Amino acid sequence: MVAAEEEEERDAAIPEPLSLFASCLSQHRFGDQELRVLEAALSAGGDVPALLATRAEARCLLRASAVEAFPATGPVEEDGRRFATADFFARAFALVGDVESCLAMKYEALVLRESKYSDDHHLQVSHDEWLTFAKDSLDNGFYTIASKAFANALAHIRPSHARHLDSANSIQEKDRINNITGLQNLAKSLSAQHSVQTQSAEYMKRRTSGVHEKCNLQPGKPKLPGSSMFRLGIKTRNIKKLLRSQERNLDEI
């Protein structure tokens, strides 16, 4: 009875234009038709505050639904459905302007395709897809993921480069490889700098909250899935912003 009342209160808080889209998400309907429903909801309303409120609520709905749709583990046979779902959420997050979540879902979809459909000409991930994703990740501060994506982009070039080393295109391929390698090195460098800043931010966070615990710097951390790595990146970026704000306030005192 209590759960039903909480659900009714949550549904009542959803703006009217989003009610149909919220219903689609609750029924796990993730397709092109649902994206069109979202587009219509985002353009409904007569004033700017109402549109902004709808967009903000749509982001909350999508984030909650994405967490539910992507459990930490899942059977291998569900990879096809997970890929389609990741693609849906990537496009939906793009519509509501949530760049961080959009990139997380794109990475999830690319990794699934790379591992599951590497032999399928229509579904295998291309060099250009990895390169575009790597540049987007670099521009948005996800340096570790960007470095991995640049490595994948290089892996798609080098076999072709080796086969055509003596061809007229070899110079262009060398230039492409050098450019991507340069971007990858930049991502690695920024990732190393970010790691030092993150440790400082974590210290400031513990000191501010009054919790003084010994840092656990054990090597060999377990590998995280793509979406978890992005969530960790988002968290550390927010802490970094908090640290900078605190430093500015101290300077002004």
Side-chain angles (χ1 to χ4, degrees), residues 70-237:
F70 289 94
T73 57
V76 176
E77 59 268 18
E78 292 185 358
D79 281 350
R81 184 169 63 85
R82 285 172 65 88
F83 162 64
T85 302
D87 182 66
F88 166 82
F89 277 104
R91 295 160 66 189
F93 280 123
L95 286 174
V96 300
D98 190 337
V99 177
E100 294 163 338
S101 299
C102 176
L103 287 172
M105 291 296 101
K106 282 186 176 181
Y107 186 75
E108 190 83 25
L110 288 172
V111 169
L112 283 170
R113 284 171 57 196
E114 188 81 1
S115 61
K116 189 73 175 178
Y117 304 106
S118 58
D119 296 329
D120 189 318
H121 177 70
H122 298 288
L123 289 176
Q124 64 183 357
V125 185
S126 69
H127 156 76
D128 288 337
E129 286 180 285
W130 275 122
L131 184 57
T132 298
F133 176 80
K135 289 179 178 178
D136 288 342
S137 299
L138 181 62
D139 291 341
N140 285 278
F142 297 104
Y143 307 127
T144 301
I145 293 294
S147 177
K148 294 179 183 293
F150 282 126
N152 287 330
L154 286 171
H156 283 73
I157 291 181
R158 279 171 175 155
S160 173
H161 171 66
R163 287 194 301 269
H164 302 286
L165 190 60
D166 298 326
S167 70
N169 294 326
S170 61
I171 296 178
Q172 292 181 350
E173 290 190 4
K174 286 180 180 179
D175 288 341
R176 244 194 330 170
I177 290 174
N178 289 337
N179 289 337
I180 297 173
T181 301
L183 289 172
Q184 184 185 27
N185 291 336
L186 173 62
K188 289 179 179 179
S189 175
L190 291 172
S191 178
Q193 295 176 25
H194 183 262
S195 177
V196 174
Q197 293 168 346
T198 298
Q199 291 182 36
S200 300
E202 288 292 345
Y203 169 75
M204 289 296 295
K205 181 185 177 184
R206 288 194 303 274
R207 194 175 73 169
T208 302
S209 63
V211 178
H212 300 282
E213 296 180 352
K214 191 174 183 179
C215 245
N216 181 11
L217 299 177
Q218 295 179 354
K221 294 181 180 178
K223 293 182 179 179
L224 298 175
S227 55
S228 297
M229 291 179 72
F230 265 102
R231 285 194 291 270
L232 179 60
I234 294 167
K235 183 183 295 183
T236 54
R237 275 182 53 186

